[in-house]
Amino acid sequence: MMTNQKTIGDIKLLGGHPALDYVNTVDSRGERCGPEFLNSYSDLVTWARRVGLIDDEECAALLSKAAQSPPEAQDSLNEAKEFREALCRIFMSESDESPIAQKDLRLVTDMANWAQSQRTLTDLAGIIEWRYASAEKLNAIAERIGWLAAELLTSRRDRRPVRACQGPNCGWLFLDHSRNGHRRWCSDKTCGSHSRVRKFRAVRSD
């Protein structure tokens, strides 16, 4: 659970995967929802640079294009946030076993396909790897998240499950890499500590 003073530049990255950290750009998904950390297109760019989704040159190019066309940048931000909520619903299905909406899955498919169209195999000193063409479209960030999300979703048989933090007013998503596979909180130092204090006070009041 984050505090209202946090910004997109300093919120903790606790999801264990960029797609989950993207879903966690809302302060709380528990008993209440919000505040929102993606309040401008520049916030989206700042977050993408933090997680290595874009480089410095792409960051500058996207911010310049957004400044030249604020309405288009706002539309791209709105679409990116709608996509974030679709990802949240899909990944939550791993935690609460709720059904997955086909329209959400189609949206991830579309985003991943668009991202794939911008990827080429590149030989770097004998190492072949996928590389993106330089980000030029304002929705390039959401598309790249779509590719990463698709990879995470299709790897479910080979990885730990996605869980939702049980801390009060949190609900952040994370990959459970705990030894026993029963991790309850996004962070033991924050939500875990708050939950233990809350439980202790409840016992004391009885």
Side-chain angles (χ1 to χ4, degrees), residues 19-20 22-24 29 33 78-108 149 153 156 162 164 171 173:
L20 301 180
Y22 183 57
V23 172
N24 295 342
R29 292 185 178 278
C33 186
N78 292 341
E79 291 173 2
K81 288 161 72 171
E82 290 176 7
F83 180 51
R84 179 191 62 189
E85 297 311 300
L87 288 179
C88 181
R89 290 188 293 269
I90 291 174
F91 284 118
M92 276 296 297
S93 70
E94 287 192 32
S95 180
D96 60 17
E97 299 184 351
S98 57
I100 297 175
Q102 288 303 305
K103 66 176 183 178
D104 289 340
L105 211 53
R106 283 196 299 271
L107 183 54
V108 177
L153 288 167
R156 185 170 182 178
V162 172
L173 302 182

Side-chain angles (χ1 to χ4, degrees), residues 146-172:
W147 176 264
L148 294 175
E151 287 190 316
L152 183 59
L153 288 167
T154 56
S155 67
R156 185 170 182 178
R157 292 187 181 90
D158 304 313
R159 61 167 167 78
R160 291 294 188 90
V162 172
R163 300 198 187 281
C165 180
Q166 297 179 31
N169 293 323
C170 186
W172 273 21

